[in-house]
């Protein structure tokens, strides 16, 4: 009985430390290419909040603003970038950039900034379209949760301490 109590306390401490150390501090980005058009699609997932105003999001390519859902920032996007990009909130915690890439075969750094309440949170990712997967019907963020579910099934079947 005492061994199970110690194991439960140890598991709780490890779980708390793991969550503190490895919880993302900013939005998570998931890039892929659309199937037919071969456009770049970058999903930016961020934690839900009830802070107002927001959420708003914007995308930058190598520090140039390419799209935004923030009402006052849309005017700052160049006309060329407005034709090639679309930034939208897909749901309350997911911002999506669809970008018609250039044919120059260069890699670019895309930055997703999310405005919630009074602060911006951002994350950047270097993207080269040659190395991206094709977007599937199963969303990239959903696939991450599915992978975590499959990897954690052994804990449900065997229990925390195993046989």
């Amino acid at each position: 009985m005492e061994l199970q109590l110690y194991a439960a306390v140890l598991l709780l401490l490890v779980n708390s430390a793991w969550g503190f150390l490895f919880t993302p501090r900013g939005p998570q980005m998931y890039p892929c290419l659309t199937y037919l058009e071969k456009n770049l699609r970058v999903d930016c997932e961020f934690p839900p909040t009830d802070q107002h105003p927001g959420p708003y999001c914007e995308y930058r390519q190598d520090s140039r603003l390419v799209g935004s859902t923030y009402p006052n920032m849309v005017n700052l996007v160049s006309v060329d970038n407005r034709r090639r990009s679309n930034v939208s909130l897909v749901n309350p915690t997911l911002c999506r950039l669809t970008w018609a890439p250039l044919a120059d075969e260069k890699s670019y750094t895309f930055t997703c900034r999310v405005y919630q309440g009074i602060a911006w949170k951002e994350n950047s990712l270097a993207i080269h379209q040659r190395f991206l997967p094709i977007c599937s019907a199963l969303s990239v963020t959903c696939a991450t949760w599915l992978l975590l579910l499959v990897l954690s099934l052994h804990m449900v079947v065997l229990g925390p301490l195993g046989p």
Side-chain angles (χ1 to χ4, degrees), residues 9-108:
V9 169
L10 181 64
L11 186 62
L12 181 64
L13 290 174
V14 168
N15 191 19
S16 298
W18 184 270
F20 176 75
L21 292 175
F22 298 106
T23 300
R25 300 294 181 236
Q28 298 300 296
M29 297 173 66
Y30 304 97
C32 61
L33 290 176
T34 59
Y35 181 70
L36 293 177
E37 302 87 9
K38 300 293 188 221
N39 289 337
L40 173 67
R41 185 177 95 187
V42 182
D43 288 343
C44 182
E45 186 177 34
F46 50 92
T49 183
D50 57 352
Q51 295 180 2
H52 293 285
Y56 299 113
C57 67
E58 72 178 30
Y59 276 92
R60 295 180 178 268
Q61 176 203 28
D62 294 335
S63 75
R64 291 180 308 148
L65 185 65
V66 296
S68 177
T69 62
Y70 195 73
N72 298 335
M73 296 293 279
V74 175
N75 297 332
L76 300 177
V77 178
S78 72
V79 174
D80 184 45
N81 286 338
R82 274 189 238 160
R83 289 185 192 136
R84 296 178 55 218
S85 70
N86 181 27
V87 175
S88 59
L89 283 169
V90 177
N91 64 44
T93 61
L94 185 72
C95 182
R96 178 171 291 163
L97 166 69
T98 305
W99 175 261
L102 297 171
D104 59 2
E105 292 290 321
K106 288 175 52 179
S107 64
Y108 294 99

